[in-house]
Structures are given as C-alpha cells and as structure tokens.
Amino acid sequence: QVQLVESGGGLVQAGGSLRLSCAASGRTFSSYAVSWFRQIPGKEREFVAAISLNGVRTYYADSLKGRFTISRHNAKNTVYLQMNSLKPEDTANYYCAAVQKYIATMNDEYAYWGQGTQVTVSS
C-alpha cells in the first residue's frame, strides 16, 4: 500500500511554469510506476505523463511532450511534474497515481491515487 499527496498547484499566467510534487508514503516507493493525470469537470480523465519505477523510462501525451517533464527522486519518495510554457487549456485538477508495475499509462491500471491539486492558467 502507498499513499500519495500532490502539491504545487496554483494560478499562473499563460507562458509561466509550475512544478507539481507527488509525495508518497512507505519504503517500497521504488517498486511503483507513477503517472500524472488531469481532469476538468464533466470531461474524461486525461493521461499526462508516466515514469517507470526506476526513473529510466518516461511517456508523455503527444500534445504535452516538450513542455512537461516527469521525474522522480526515490530516496525522497517523490515524483515531480515540471510544467513549462503553460497554456489556458492546461487548466485542470492534476492527480498522481501509482501501481506496482514497471510502467503503466492507463488510468485503470493504477491502484492508488492522490487527492489532486488544481492548476489554473490565465490568458
């Protein structure tokens, strides 16, 4: 079992940057793949980025590749999402999720979810 807590969301202007953090409990964090997803009210949850349990492999939504970077520091039990060149359409509630696999990109693969952190990008 792992518990996840997101932080770092807020209000930024278009073109700005934010770094989100996903802090995990437990001593087995290095055995979990982690992803970021985002969702706006009334719409489907959208995949953002994934990182393998060892941090070697990453995947990104095609539309976000180049602007967003996922990373992890297993000794700190933390995964990050660096978001640059933010656009109003990036506005959403951002969630991190974990599963005991090498890597995963589908929301139904993930067993553990955080509570979310709101990102709002103004134009």
Side-chain angles (χ1 to χ4, degrees):
Q1 181 176 312
V2 63
Q3 291 183 280
L4 308 172
V5 179
E6 302 96 332
S7 62
L11 175 63
V12 297
Q13 291 184 314
S17 297
L18 283 174
R19 189 178 75 161
L20 306 184
S21 297
C22 175
S25 65
R27 296 186 293 129
T28 60
F29 182 61
S30 61
S31 69
Y32 290 84
V34 176
S35 283
W36 288 94
F37 294 84
R38 66 187 186 183
Q39 189 170 31
I40 62 175
K43 294 193 174 183
E44 289 283 327
R45 186 174 291 112
E46 177 187 13
F47 172 74
V48 173
I51 190 163
S52 61
L53 51 81
N54 59 4
V56 170
R57 189 72 178 268
T58 58
Y59 285 100
Y60 298 91
D62 286 343
S63 63
L64 304 178
K65 190 173 180 65
R67 294 196 297 121
F68 288 14
T69 303
I70 190 169
S71 62
R72 68 191 296 162
H73 192 149
N74 284 346
K76 296 181 178 179
N77 277 199
T78 303
V79 169
Y80 305 97
L81 183 69
Q82 179 67 44
M83 305 186 295
N84 298 324
S85 301
L86 284 163
K87 303 174 181 180
E89 52 262 46
D90 295 320
T91 295
N93 201 350
Y94 284 72
Y95 299 88
C96 65
V99 65
Q100 211 160 12
K101 293 183 176 181
Y102 178 75
I103 197 164
T105 60
M106 303 295 289
N107 58 9
D108 58 4
E109 293 183 274
Y110 281 90
Y112 305 102
W113 292 80
Q115 81 290 346
T117 187
Q118 180 67 35
V119 172
T120 302
V121 184
S122 62
S123 59

